[in-house]
Amino acid sequence: MKENSLLVIIAAAGSGERFGGDTPKQYMKLNGKSVIENSVYPFLVSKYVKQVIIAISKNDEFIEKQDFYNSKKVEFVHGGDSRQDSIKNALALDYKDFEFVITHDAVRPNISEADIANLYKDILNKNVSCSFLYTPVYDSIKIVGENDITKDKDKFLLVQTPQICRLEDLCNSLNKCIKDEVECPDESYAIEYSNLSLSKVKGRRSNIKITEKSDLEMLNNFLNISGIGFDLHRYENGDGIILGGCKIDCNYRIVAHSDGDVLLHSIADSILGATGSGDIGLFFSDKDPKNKNLDSRKIINHCLNILDKKNLEIFNIDTTIICEYPKINPWREQILNKLSEIFKIPVSKIGLKATTSEQIGIIGENKAIAVQSLVNLKEKL
Ligand code: ZN
């Protein structure tokens, strides 16, 4: 396996493929990047890949905004009406120096560098014209007809990309298909049509082709943006505290410039942390007179606006309140309901736990209350 030896063609000309919105599927967001950025990335970092050609549609208005647009490894060609035309257009450029070409779909974002290496290894070991990724069929399978007829699923397999071909064999095979007016669903078919040899490598079922909106939702569930928060405030004698927007009766009050809602402050910091936006002090200084007795729900609204701008939403929140008094349990439900209202997420997505400090230290001696929190964010679809 030679380093810097592979040519890659990515078919991304499918401009009509939308979920109904304005953005074609390959440019929808997935895990903080676009689908196509995810699809292209493993090729950019693979040591075996020398050049990546991306076949885009003529009126593509999104491509310039992609993170790989200025990469030296990447070139663009205009795609044709069909997939095989796009691949053909890319191969029409002068790539005689390459022995092998990998083809891939812009809307298969969940591939890895290992997939590339496995295919390269396979085509060399088996000395074939093409090697492709596949998965077995695990569901029952029927042929569609007047009466759908069940077939033996073990006799079928699902074909994925990437696929690797000997460049010369692929060029000849595609020409033959075009001449015979045969449409290729993928490059392995062109090779098969020319009666050339093929091999296959078992892929992963998670290497899905984004076709329906639910495909994107599924991949997006793997996203993990987390932030942690901590806040502590001093106690003095008083007639109650505010926790999560709820007034709670007890013999203490919180010493603070704002309303001292230590629970909301901690969660706010975890959101600001997860989004890389700094901390509460940056936006709501405790030196600023206009923040005197500030309602902490304003801080949360600020955080929710940041999430909105970054197209993120809260997946779940977990918190631990550390204090001797008040006892949290009697207030638990009320606080949870309030948090659900403030953060606009269901109660089932909020963790609210309480512990004491075993009567030692400043918290144990009722001189302070603290809250630890964690938030997980996900991309808004
Ligand atoms: Zn605070």
Side-chain angles (χ1 to χ4, degrees):
M1 288 164 72
K2 267 195 289 185
E3 292 185 11
N4 266 323
S5 63
L6 299 177
L7 175 67
V8 174
I9 300 174
I10 300 199
S15 61
E17 301 174 22
R18 291 157 203 243
F19 294 131
D22 289 336
T23 310
K25 273 181 256 187
Q26 64 268 36
Y27 298 120
M28 300 282 284
K29 283 280 176 194
L30 174 67
N31 293 356
K33 303 208 286 183
S34 68
V35 168
I36 189 171
E37 283 172 347
N38 280 282
S39 306
V40 169
Y41 180 76
F43 297 105
L44 294 183
V45 293
S46 168
K47 62 182 177 188
Y48 301 113
V49 173
K50 187 172 183 192
Q51 200 168 4
V52 179
I53 317 290
I54 303 178
I56 53 171
S57 75
K58 280 201 180 72
N59 40 17
D60 191 315
E61 60 203 90
F62 298 88
I63 194 72
E64 285 177 27
K65 295 179 200 114
Q66 307 307 306
D67 65 2
F68 51 75
Y69 188 70
N70 291 315
S71 165
K72 286 197 182 93
K73 235 177 174 179
V74 175
E75 265 185 55
F76 302 95
V77 291
H78 286 145
D81 292 339
S82 70
R83 180 201 171 84
Q84 79 201 67
D85 289 336
S86 290
I87 304 291
K88 188 87 201 331
N89 284 356
L91 287 173
L93 305 172
D94 190 11
Y95 296 123
K96 281 193 211 84
D97 293 347
F98 291 94
E99 192 180 350
F100 299 102
V101 57
I102 290 187
T103 49
H104 187 53
D105 294 309
V107 288
R108 271 194 207 269
N110 203 26
I111 63 150
S112 66
E113 274 183 82
D115 292 326
I116 300 164
N118 289 340
L119 284 168
Y120 192 15
K121 197 166 147 194
D122 191 61
I123 199 166
L124 289 172
N125 285 348
K126 309 271 175 58
N127 196 22
V128 287
S129 294
C130 170
S131 177
F132 60 90
L133 287 184
Y134 79 99
T135 58
V137 177
Y138 294 113
D139 301 311
S140 296
I141 199 158
K142 288 181 195 287
I143 287 201
V144 179
E146 206 169 311
N147 293 310
D148 298 344
I149 296 164
T150 300
K151 290 285 171 186
D152 180 359
K153 65 178 168 27
D154 294 339
K155 289 190 174 154
F156 293 84
L157 51 85
L158 300 171
V159 178
Q160 301 182 333
T161 66
Q163 307 184 345
I164 188 166
C165 298
R166 285 181 191 278
L167 197 142
E168 199 184 340
D169 291 344
L170 180 62
C171 287
N172 293 338
S173 300
L174 284 175
N175 282 336
K176 185 170 161 61
C177 289
I178 289 167
K179 193 169 129 259
D180 294 356
E181 291 181 9
V182 169
E183 199 158 311
C184 302
D186 64 277
E187 291 64 53
S188 74
Y189 176 76
I191 298 288
E192 175 190 327
Y193 183 72
S194 293
N195 288 318
L196 295 169
S197 54
L198 290 119
S199 173
K200 56 184 183 285
V201 175
K202 193 172 173 206
R204 288 163 295 107
R205 296 220 290 166
S206 58
N207 177 18
I208 55 173
K209 185 175 181 175
I210 306 277
T211 312
E212 298 181 4
K213 202 172 177 199
S214 63
D215 299 333
L216 209 51
E217 282 161 5
M218 187 170 79
L219 288 183
N220 209 41
N221 280 341
F222 298 128
L223 174 67
N224 202 0
I225 305 175
S226 315
I228 56 168
F230 179 81
D231 194 30
L232 180 146
H233 280 273
R234 269 192 303 121
Y235 267 166
E236 60 185 23
N237 290 333
D239 62 352
I241 63 173
I242 293 174
L243 265 187
C246 300
K247 175 83 200 299
I248 293 181
D249 301 328
C250 64
N251 297 327
Y252 301 96
R253 66 178 289 274
I254 283 172
V255 182
H257 188 63
S258 68
D259 65 2
D261 194 328
V262 62
L263 178 55
L264 291 189
H265 294 178
S266 177
I267 300 172
D269 257 355
S270 62
I271 295 173
L272 295 172
T275 54
S277 310
D279 60 24
I280 293 184
L282 201 63
F283 302 101
F284 299 92
S285 163
D286 58 7
K287 307 281 183 296
D288 191 336
K290 77 169 187 288
N291 292 330
K292 182 93 183 117
N293 299 324
L294 175 79
D295 182 339
S296 294
R297 282 175 290 191
K298 283 194 181 139
I299 300 175
I300 298 302
N301 283 338
H302 176 78
C303 294
L304 295 180
N305 281 337
I306 289 178
L307 290 181
D308 232 28
K309 278 192 197 121
K310 291 180 181 275
N311 200 42
L312 294 165
E313 61 186 1
I314 297 171
F315 180 73
N316 78 310
I317 297 171
D318 192 19
T319 62
T320 302
I321 301 171
I322 311 159
C323 65
E324 301 294 320
Y325 289 101
K327 292 294 162 208
I328 300 299
N329 218 21
W331 301 93
R332 217 173 153 271
E333 213 177 304
Q334 194 186 328
I335 297 173
L336 276 173
N337 286 329
K338 198 69 180 177
L339 290 177
S340 165
E341 183 190 312
I342 293 170
F343 289 96
K344 303 179 184 82
I345 59 171
V347 168
S348 61
K349 297 280 189 190
I350 306 171
L352 182 71
K353 310 182 298 299
T355 188
T356 70
S357 186
E358 300 275 332
Q359 294 170 0
I360 55 168
I362 52 165
I363 292 174
E365 290 162 12
N366 287 314
K367 287 179 183 155
I369 177 172
V371 175
Q372 269 185 330
S373 64
L374 180 128
V375 66
N376 285 302
L377 305 176
K378 63 174 185 169
E379 197 89 34
K380 216 190 282 178
L381 291 176

